[in-house]
Amino acid sequence: MTYDWNGSLADGFAILLGRPLGDFDRQATYALYYSCSDLAQELFDEKFDPGVLARGEIVHPPYPSISILGELLEGWDLIAPHWSIDLGRSLFRAGDTGEGAALGLPQLDEGMTGADLGRELVERQWKPRKLRKTFPEIDFRIHTDGSLYDAMRAATATMTGPGEIFETGPVHGVEARWEQALAALPDTELREHLSNLCRDEQTARSDGAYYLGARDPGLQSGAPVVAAWRIGEGQAFSAVVQS
């Protein structure tokens, strides 16, 4: 009998979501966003090309057209360096209200898409470092096919097949309720991989991630959250939303 990897993933996602994927609105579009406050502050340096934003590029690892992004993701996150990122549809906002207006870009206080921000930077011929004064917040939109299944695959780094999931480290400190729930998965590799993304709050500060369920971790879009994770000391999060 052929092993049904896609079926196993769907079972794992159903455990995390509390219901089967088929119970969600199939006509809706689902997206994955990733935010890291430390990374956002460092992104706008001399290596940053605003034209990449203005063109609304979808960039793929190792991000040759925006190398600083690849360098930062490698340093801050385990999963993020494997994503393709839709820069044009990513969201940018001043971290402190009024900082955008003080800079002469009041739209940034309300939030701008990457494409809109890039066009402003190009037209004004601003150096990207100027944006650091606004303490920017960025919700990177991960490129997926719009389905809940694909958004969850990206969020959990299960985009590859069985035997190809990258290592997330030894399984420990898993929150008890998720350890018990995920025990129903017969695939050891998948069970351990998803368990690493369901650690308790203390363990997740240094390893894996803390699963928030459908709680909003602080997204700019305000879209309904389907699943979210807090990463590290709380400076980063990822969230699957229905848009």
Side-chain angles (χ1 to χ4, degrees), residues 16 26 40 46 117 141-142 148 161 176 183 186 219 233 235:
L16 294 177
R26 299 187 183 187
E46 65 275 2
L117 176 59
R141 182 167 175 138
I142 311 311
L148 178 56
L219 282 167
E233 298 283 343
Q235 73 270 31

Side-chain angles (χ1 to χ4, degrees), residues 218-234:
L219 282 167
Q220 296 184 44
S221 68
V225 174
V226 177
W229 288 262
R230 190 167 66 230
I231 304 158
E233 298 283 343

Side-chain angles (χ1 to χ4, degrees), residues 178-242:
W178 293 116
E179 184 174 23
Q180 181 177 2
L182 291 168
L185 290 175
D187 187 311
T188 301
E189 179 189 28
L190 180 59
R191 182 175 65 251
E192 291 185 351
H193 182 82
L194 294 180
S195 294
N196 272 300
L197 302 177
C198 296
R199 297 179 189 264
D200 59 47
E201 287 191 81
Q202 183 61 35
T203 308
R205 293 165 69 93
S206 58
D207 297 291
Y210 177 66
Y211 184 46
L212 297 169
R215 283 182 283 165
D216 188 342
L219 282 167
Q220 296 184 44
S221 68
V225 174
V226 177
W229 288 262
R230 190 167 66 230
I231 304 158
E233 298 283 343
Q235 73 270 31
F237 65 79
S238 61
V240 174
V241 304
Q242 180 179 322

